């Protein structure tokens, strides 16, 4: 079964860099990657929060949260 | 040509989690991954520093630094 990864971002420069440098390097044969712009899709903020996301960009892999550098606080988008 | 990624860590729990959750999900067909325990190999600290690494664990992909969560400050190992 594939792993599931969700990349939460806010469209910021730090986020774009993480998407192109890191998320694009994931093995799509093994990992199903979804990218969510929580600035555009505010209804996903609560989901990110309950997954443990505090800052963006963040990548949640099979329930584990990885905060990558620091672009924005999730709370700033609310 | 393959991308080059170096995962700098300090053997801490946050580092181990990032290694298994994130670094293991990279596409080894496209990315050449090296893992460096800077606690064990202190001669690599200067290299990590000049790559821009400030906290561990960190993943440097083709020169771009991604700090992943926060396990330890690189300066604490000096």
């Amino acid at each position: 079964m594939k792993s599931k990864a969700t990349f939460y971002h806010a469209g910021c420069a730090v986020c774009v860099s993480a998407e192109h440098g890191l998320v694009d390097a994931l093995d799509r044969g093994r990992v199903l990657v979804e990218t969510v712009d929580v600035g555009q899709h505010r209804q996903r903020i609560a989901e990110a929060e309950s997954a443990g996301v505090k800052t963006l960009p963040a990548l949640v892999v099979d329930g584990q949260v990885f905060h990558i550098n620091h672009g924005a606080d999730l709370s700033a988008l609310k």
Side-chain angles (χ1 to χ4, degrees), chain A:
Chain A
M1 203 179 75
K2 278 194 182 186
S3 287
K4 186 176 181 294
T6 309
F7 180 63
Y8 295 100
H9 72 97
C12 60
V14 174
C15 299
V16 171
S17 149
E19 184 168 7
H20 293 298
L22 187 52
V23 178
D24 282 354
L26 297 176
D27 185 348
R28 302 299 165 117
R30 293 186 291 129
V31 186
L32 186 70
V33 182
E34 183 192 13
T35 296
V36 178
D37 183 335
V38 289
Q40 298 292 318
H41 301 279
R42 288 167 176 276
Q43 73 279 13
R44 306 282 301 262
I45 291 176
E47 167 200 307
E49 240 179 359
S50 59
V53 173
K54 300 206 182 309
T55 61
L56 302 169
L59 185 69
V60 180
V61 184
D62 291 336
Q64 263 195 300
V65 184
F66 300 105
H67 298 97
I68 303 160
N69 291 336
H70 183 276
D73 289 324
L74 185 62
S75 60
L77 294 173
K78 292 208 279 191

